[in-house]
Amino acid sequence: MKIFAVGMNYLQHNKALHGALFKTEEPVIFTKADSALLKDGKPFFVPDWSERVDYEAEVVVRICRLGKGIPERFAHRYYDAVTVGVDFTARDWQQKAQQQGLPWEISKGFDGSAVIGQWQDLPLQKERGVQNMNFRLDINGETVQQGCTADMLYSIDALIAYLSRFFTLKTGDLLFTGTPTGVGQVHIDDHLQGWLEDRKVLDFYCK
């Protein structure tokens, strides 16, 4: 099982990170280790080796069949479920690696850093379509992030087609599709809840 993730896939988030609205020339792709996966409402343990761990709420899709070199027009056949997840980032480690021109897998791929909620079958989303879904993240009862998949710079189908140029996609692989603006730091005892449209699909605590 592979965990793919996409960076800088929302304009306003790009502005918050870099001070400018821009679209990257190609999708920014990174991966997480399989031990990063956290599900079933289990708590996230804030690592003691980082001084700042940030939440990044994202729509996550589940790959449902083997695929390589997938044309974008057929990409919708290769995922069957969607949920809200959190891409946790050890921001201090990421910034240090970026300043030194080094890879930043540790900051993104550490244990428990890829949280996913309950899967929703795609037919349940037909009223709006997978590329027009609203989602949000609440922490301690207050909304801290909200977005719509219509605002993605690279659509889910485009991302799958792009990824399949380089990787063979397999059943059970996951794709975190990027975060909107509003990322911030988590703390011990925070209560995180993620919503897809009007459905609460994610619910866990930080320890």
Side-chain angles (χ1 to χ4, degrees):
M1 186 268 292
K2 300 184 290 298
I3 302 174
F4 299 103
V6 184
M8 298 183 290
N9 202 25
Y10 287 81
L11 279 178
Q12 292 298 328
H13 179 56
N14 294 354
K15 182 178 181 181
L17 284 177
H18 304 286
L21 298 172
F22 70 96
K23 180 177 181 178
T24 57
E25 292 184 5
E26 293 183 324
V28 176
I29 303 296
F30 60 94
T31 61
K32 289 174 175 275
D34 57 4
S35 60
L37 184 63
L38 187 66
K39 57 183 181 178
D40 301 327
K42 294 179 180 178
F44 169 72
F45 289 91
V46 180
D48 58 7
W49 44 260
S50 174
E51 294 182 358
R52 181 185 175 95
V53 176
D54 285 358
Y55 58 81
E56 299 184 14
E58 313 196 6
V59 167
V60 185
V61 296
R62 183 178 66 193
I63 302 300
C64 64
R65 60 192 295 189
L66 187 71
K68 174 72 174 176
I70 302 165
E72 185 174 342
R73 67 183 183 278
F74 297 136
H76 65 279
R77 301 177 181 177
Y78 288 82
Y79 55 97
D80 65 350
V82 63
T83 191
V84 172
V86 176
D87 164 22
F88 279 117
T89 304
R91 193 68 69 194
D92 52 342
W93 280 67
Q94 184 188 44
Q95 291 173 346
K96 180 173 67 175
Q98 289 173 332
Q99 290 168 359
Q100 298 175 0
L102 299 174
W104 32 274
E105 275 84 355
I106 290 176
S107 70
K108 283 286 193 178
F110 62 90
D111 288 354
S113 62
V115 187
I116 59 171
Q118 297 174 338
W119 292 110
Q120 304 295 300
D121 292 336
L122 290 180
L124 298 178
Q125 305 299 329
K126 282 184 177 179
E127 290 183 6
R128 297 185 61 86
V130 69
Q131 210 57 61
N132 192 21
M133 293 186 299
N134 295 303
F135 63 101
R136 78 175 198 264
L137 178 69
D138 293 351
I139 297 183
N140 303 326
E142 295 187 8
T143 298
V144 294
Q145 276 189 287
Q146 52 189 349
C148 179
T149 56
D151 296 328
M152 288 180 180
L153 300 178
Y154 294 97
S155 69
I156 293 170
D157 289 355
L159 292 171
I160 287 175
Y162 181 80
L163 278 169
S164 72
R165 291 172 56 191
F166 311 100
F167 304 94
T168 298
L169 302 184
K170 296 183 178 181
T171 300
D173 287 350
L174 306 180
L175 173 59
F176 283 68
T177 58
T179 192
T181 190
V183 303
Q185 187 174 5
V186 291
H187 304 87
I188 292 173
D189 294 329
D190 278 348
H191 182 199
L192 280 67
Q193 296 175 302
W195 300 77
L196 189 63
E197 296 293 347
D198 59 351
R199 295 181 180 220
K200 184 172 69 174
V201 297
L202 183 68
D203 194 330
F204 68 101
Y205 285 85
C206 292
K207 299 294 186 181

